[in-house]
Amino acid sequence: EKGVDNSFWGLNSNASFIINLPGKVEISSDGNYQFRSKQTFSEDFQRVIWNSSISKKFFKAENLKFSISIFNLLCTHILCVHKINVYLY
């Protein structure tokens, strides 16, 4: 549209860590931060997504792993549903 400024700037940042504990237990977490500046007819957009999991490895070769993961711990969306996954592989 002529005469409308739709320019904006944004930032996206990620972080993660894994902690290996005794007994072949692993705790991991990751996060994502997004920011987008205000555009015409809107407000600044920012969101933090934080995920976490705990895993246990089995057998000497560690070829069996049981994990429980939780996604979006902070429930940052309006229509948020916590999602919990259990994996065995």
Side-chain angles (χ1 to χ4, degrees):
E1 200 175 317
K2 219 174 197 182
V4 176
D5 182 12
N6 283 328
S7 62
F8 68 91
W9 65 275
L11 171 72
N12 189 24
S13 180
N14 296 296
S16 65
F17 69 87
I18 297 173
I19 299 173
N20 292 303
L21 301 172
K24 300 179 184 179
V25 174
E26 180 181 280
I27 296 174
S28 62
S29 187
D30 64 87
N32 172 266
Y33 174 74
Q34 295 177 0
F35 175 85
R36 187 170 60 197
S37 67
K38 182 170 44 173
Q39 289 179 284
T40 306
F41 309 116
S42 67
E43 297 178 1
D44 289 346
F45 171 81
Q46 55 184 334
R47 174 175 63 191
V48 176
I49 303 291
W50 178 26
N51 308 309
S52 189
S53 69
I54 185 165
S55 303
K56 167 78 172 148
K57 297 175 185 175
F58 297 92
F59 304 125
K60 191 173 189 175
E62 298 182 359
N63 55 359
L64 179 64
K65 185 177 181 180
F66 177 80
S67 289
I68 296 176
S69 301
I70 302 175
F71 301 96
N72 198 6
L73 287 166
L74 302 176
C75 202
T76 55
H77 294 310
I78 296 170
L79 301 173
C80 175
V81 175
H82 286 293
K83 183 177 179 183
I84 300 174
N85 289 344
V86 177
Y87 297 103
L88 184 62
Y89 50 94

